[in-house]
Amino acid sequence: RMTMSRALMHFNAASRATNPPLTFTGTEIEEQVFIADTHCMNVSAGPTQKMNLFQSVTSALDNTLAGDPTAVIFGEDVAFGGVFRCTVGLRDKYGKDRVFNTPLCEQGIVGFGIGAAAAGATAIAEIQFADYIYPAFDQIVNEAAKYRYRSGNMFDCGKLTIRAPWGCVGHGSIYHSQCPEAFFTHCPGIKIVVPRGPVQAKGLLLSCIADQNPCIFFEPKILYRAAVEQVPTEAYQIPLSQAEVLQEGSDLTLVAWGTQVHVLKEVAAMAQEKLGVSCELIDLRTILPWDTETVCKSVVKTGRLLISHEAPVTGGFAAEISSTVQEECFLNLEAPISRVCGYDTPFPHIFEPFYIPDKWKCFEAVKRMINY
Amino acid sequence: MTTLPEILDRFNQNASAAKFRGRAVWDFHRQEQTRDTHALDVKMAAARGVKKLYGIGLHAIRQNASLKATTFLQQRAFRVNGALRQQPFDSSAEKPQFPGASAEFIDHLEFIQPNVISGIPVYRVMDRQGQIINPSEDPKLSKEMVLNFYQKMTLLNTMDRILYESQRQGRISFYMTNYGEEGTHIGSAAALEPTDLVFGQYREAGVLMYRGFPLDLFMAQCYANADDLGKGRQMPVHYGCKDLNFVTISSPLATQLPQAAGAAYAVKRENSNRVVVCYFGEGAASEGDAHAGFNFSATLECPLIFFCRNNGYAISTPTNEQYRGDGIAARGPGYGLMSIRVDGNDVFAVYNATKEARRRAVAENQPFLIEAMTYRIGHHSTSDDSSAYRSVDEVNYWDKQDHPISRLRHYMTARDWWGEDEEKAWRKQSRKLVMEAFERAERRLKPNPELLFTDVYDEMIPPIAKQRDAMWRHIQQYKEHYPLDLYEK
């Protein structure tokens, strides 16, 4: 008798049979959720080591604790290494006063982080799942984001960084799959960053930690083990608020962040192969404040824009990008801007394969835009 | 005396695969572990922590080459066999082994009754007439210091009267008085070092005044003029001062409690012998952030003083609608906090309690909870008329019969440190000081509207710069509709 999980494995296997992966780097369950960059990322000249995404996070935290005596890492279960192993080894290496568990209370974790940062410590708070960040919403939006402004720059919590696992993972369902960035993009005063792989994660996380504004760093949990790259062992930073053009193209601009970047990599390849369409692929990287210039410059060139994210389409960040682009590039548009996103439902469990904005939905949207 | 292996053995006897959870079992495993089984435990902990992500988690574990299925089965067999090896034991000598609590067993059913009638007693040094009750508790402060207490409390009172009136006259937009609670501010502030970091709620202006915040800057913040350290961004009474280590006030209640815990933790790591003080009202103590602050400060061993002003009302909500337990002090032990309740209208009691709490918080790195009982004589704010929910008689009792200022004055006059002449002269002088600052503040322009756009981030970012430029273009075009003359250029 087949169980649901086995059925899903069969589905995945069938899917793989008809869609051979471009680059096979994950385990069987993870499929090809991660496609390594084809170009060489010269982020740092130093030695590199093969790391997956959670290891690259550990490396960033390790560099931080080594170089900054005020740095502390805290949250639920971080002491033993964390439920996603992002903090493995750090407590033993740096001491229990620097890597410690807190009680199970997100509003407390973020509030505590704000206070520690305001008092001069580099505070790195872990929220166990982005789905559980909402109790801290008041502290983030009413306090952290406004600390500097409301005090006339006498006080700030710029040394605060909040990290949280983010996004769909195959079985996460309603409360282990959410992408809540849109709730926070409506909040001036914070920064929001989402990496697409280990090299990006380490550099962007180190930039968030160094940045003198409170930052939220969402880590795509499905990529924690599935994404593996050669990552520099020393510290390096990747600039915030700079989107990255991963692939140049002339017919259509694709924009995404996190896991969805890899989906669009496949879509770009499919578009080229099956439609002869040349896509320009942009990884937004920083969601707030976002790099309007790079996106608009691309749309001026291509005339078509497709934005894709897992989060529900209504009020999702694609709406903000779409609105800004139509203001700035109205006369350049050849087709309406397309958003391929999650449906306006909570994130379902067994229906995940139907819910997510997969490559077929994105490909279909590309076709429609080209034929508009 | 049972040995650790015996205790762990007994635990394991009752364990089964279904009950395989909890830190004690992890610890037990670590006693017996090889490197391989430890790796399994870490992975199992990760899987369990991720709740029902069984598909990925367990699959990954099974895939791990270093962990054979036989080892995995041996782990399960070990726990199941444990149930069969139960040894005889003497139940009367048993002590509870639960990781969560270490109290004794009890063999009869008995609920603990919350005690609000004879709950935590109220510590005081002076009676309402300013007489010292127990001479060994008299802090025996110098005349100079006591006079300073009195003058700060009365100056605050005078400033409150004038600024309340100025709101009524439409000169400032909003105000909150501190009537009746001056003792809590001055007594506690005096017991701190100037370098101690203060997080407040909104009714602690006396703390700032004691530390030397000038009248001009109080006024500047209330008038939101160009001298305001906060650059005119917040409503009146949302004071802050970096130099005086007073963190800027924000309107959301109780948000400062977990922040104070974090700040105290950072301060502890600095080894700077500083304490953090966190003020809040009994109403704010109902917020979830208060629970978070208490719990975090205790578990993380923070040098922090929680100072609760229990003044009887949260706007119109009396304490019997705010809580049913024995006030806020009784919650402290529930979190593992050293706790005390004091007479907030007795400036010496407040001083003594804060002084001792500070000494021990720094020396022992643990938080303290002081609940200062007092009464809010004034309205909640200028937006409130408290005659709608309480009697004038009630308010008059506190104003006339139990007021921190008069209590201290009795203490001073009994020692011939103060008299009618001094009182008259000081009233005149304090009023003059306040009025002069008031008039200066009135004349001052408001800050440049450019400051609307700065400090959102540490540096200006392009989208905000664009919006700022758009605003100025708009103002240029429609300038007659905007009150530019009131603002600095």
Side-chain angles (χ1 to χ4, degrees), chain B residues 13-57:
Chain B
Q13 289 158 19
N14 299 321
S16 69
K19 288 192 214 154
F20 184 61
R21 56 176 66 92
R23 182 169 288 284
V25 186
W26 292 128
D27 291 342
F28 169 66
H29 260 272
R30 261 177 226 118
Q31 310 293 329
E32 310 275 304
Q33 270 167 1
T34 63
R35 206 145 42 97
D36 284 341
T37 57
H38 181 65
L40 164 67
D41 287 336
V42 173
K43 289 187 175 76
M44 291 290 281
R48 201 155 280 105
V50 166
K51 293 169 189 133
K52 285 184 184 151
L53 296 185
Y54 48 85
I56 287 186

Side-chain angles (χ1 to χ4, degrees), chain A residues 77-231:
Chain A
D77 304 297
V78 301
F80 88 101
V83 293
F84 289 108
R85 312 182 64 186
C86 293
T87 51
V88 167
L90 297 179
R91 184 178 170 94
D92 285 342
K93 192 168 173 186
Y94 295 101
K96 60 184 174 66
D97 64 317
R98 301 187 70 189
V99 181
F100 52 91
N101 292 337
T102 64
L104 210 167
C105 178
E106 286 75 14
Q107 66 193 107
I109 290 168
V110 173
F112 179 91
I114 291 169
T122 296
I124 303 164
E126 178 175 303
I127 297 295
Q128 198 155 87
F129 283 84
D131 313 55
Y132 308 139
I133 201 166
Y134 308 112
F137 198 80
D138 186 41
Q139 286 283 354
I140 293 169
V141 169
N142 263 338
E143 298 287 315
K146 298 169 169 66
Y147 229 75
R148 187 189 294 278
Y149 187 81
R150 75 190 189 197
S151 68
N153 200 23
M154 283 193 286
F155 297 95
D156 71 82
C157 58
K159 291 182 185 305
L160 172 65
T161 303
I162 301 166
R163 299 175 34 246
W166 170 102
C168 79
V169 68
H171 303 77
S173 183
I174 304 178
Y175 300 112
H176 298 85
S177 312
Q178 288 179 42
C179 298
E181 66 273 11
F183 293 108
F184 297 99
T185 56
H186 192 56
C187 178
I190 53 173
K191 296 195 177 181
I192 304 167
V193 178
V194 187
R196 68 172 182 274
V199 170
Q200 292 292 310
K202 177 167 171 172
L204 289 168
L205 178 55
L206 285 171
S207 289
C208 287
I209 291 168
D211 194 283
Q212 288 306 304
N213 301 288
C215 297
I216 305 179
F217 187 75
F218 288 123
E219 301 165 359
K221 65 177 82 69
I222 199 172
L223 299 181
Y224 272 144
R225 293 187 312 115
V228 182
E229 286 177 314
Q230 288 289 336
V231 181

Side-chain angles (χ1 to χ4, degrees), chain B residues 97-332:
Chain B
Q97 306 295 343
F98 305 110
S102 51
E104 299 284 334
F105 279 117
I106 188 172
D107 61 13
H108 56 275
L109 181 65
E110 190 181 302
F111 287 100
I112 298 172
Q113 171 117 354
N115 191 347
V116 303
I117 304 301
S118 38
I120 297 175
V122 183
Y123 169 70
R124 64 175 182 172
V125 173
M126 295 185 278
D127 64 18
R128 291 191 285 116
Q129 297 307 312
Q131 318 246 42
I132 298 291
I133 299 165
N134 178 352
S136 65
E137 295 293 314
D138 182 352
K140 296 195 178 65
L141 300 176
S142 67
K143 175 180 172 182
E144 191 190 343
M145 202 166 171
V146 173
L147 253 54
N148 185 35
F149 283 12
Y150 184 76
Q151 286 173 345
K152 289 291 185 307
M153 289 200 284
T154 48
L155 186 63
L156 175 62
N157 194 281
T158 305
M159 184 181 83
D160 275 352
R161 284 172 207 282
I162 287 167
L163 284 175
Y164 186 91
E165 263 317 294
S166 83
Q167 192 278 343
R168 282 295 178 253
Q169 294 166 15
R171 298 168 191 270
I172 61 175
S173 61
F174 175 81
Y175 193 70
M176 299 176 99
T177 58
N178 302 274
Y179 301 147
E181 300 185 49
E182 298 88 347
T184 62
H185 304 178
I186 301 309
S188 56
L192 302 172
E193 295 296 311
T195 48
D196 292 335
L197 194 57
V198 173
F199 286 81
Q201 180 169 303
Y202 52 55
R203 219 183 290 278
E204 295 91 13
V207 174
L208 208 41
M209 188 168 272
Y210 186 86
R211 283 193 165 183
F213 199 59
L215 290 170
D216 280 326
L217 290 181
F218 277 110
M219 303 281 173
Q221 198 284 327
C222 289
Y223 276 87
N225 66 30
D227 294 332
D228 176 23
L229 298 179
K231 300 181 188 170
R233 290 162 181 160
Q234 290 212 85
M235 286 167 76
V237 312
H238 289 65
Y239 309 114
C241 183
K242 181 139 187 83
D243 292 341
L244 297 179
N245 297 299
F246 190 96
V247 181
T248 302
I249 300 300
S250 72
S251 306
L253 296 183
T255 47
Q256 72 273 21
L257 275 86
Q259 292 174 21
Y265 192 88
V267 155
K268 174 171 81 165
R269 290 202 68 245
E270 280 172 6
N271 278 314
S272 53
N273 287 321
R274 293 196 295 156
V275 85
V276 174
V277 180
C278 183
Y279 294 90
F280 56 101
E282 88 286 349
S286 294
E287 282 278 1
D289 272 344
H291 158 74
F294 295 148
N295 201 17
F296 275 57
S297 68
T299 53
L300 300 174
E301 297 169 358
C302 303
L304 169 57
I305 300 172
F306 287 112
F307 194 103
C308 177
R309 295 174 294 96
N310 187 330
N311 63 14
Y313 289 89
I315 307 188
S316 71
T317 306
T319 52
N320 66 7
E321 289 173 11
Q322 194 65 246
Y323 55 76
R324 279 302 153 88
D326 177 25
I328 314 306
R331 298 181 200 170

Side-chain angles (χ1 to χ4, degrees), chain B residues 405-422:
Chain B
I405 291 176
S406 40
R407 200 188 282 201
L408 189 63
R409 189 170 59 242
H410 291 313
Y411 176 89
M412 297 190 315
T413 53
R415 281 153 188 74
D416 283 325
W417 290 352
W418 197 258
E420 276 284 327
D421 298 333
E422 286 88 354

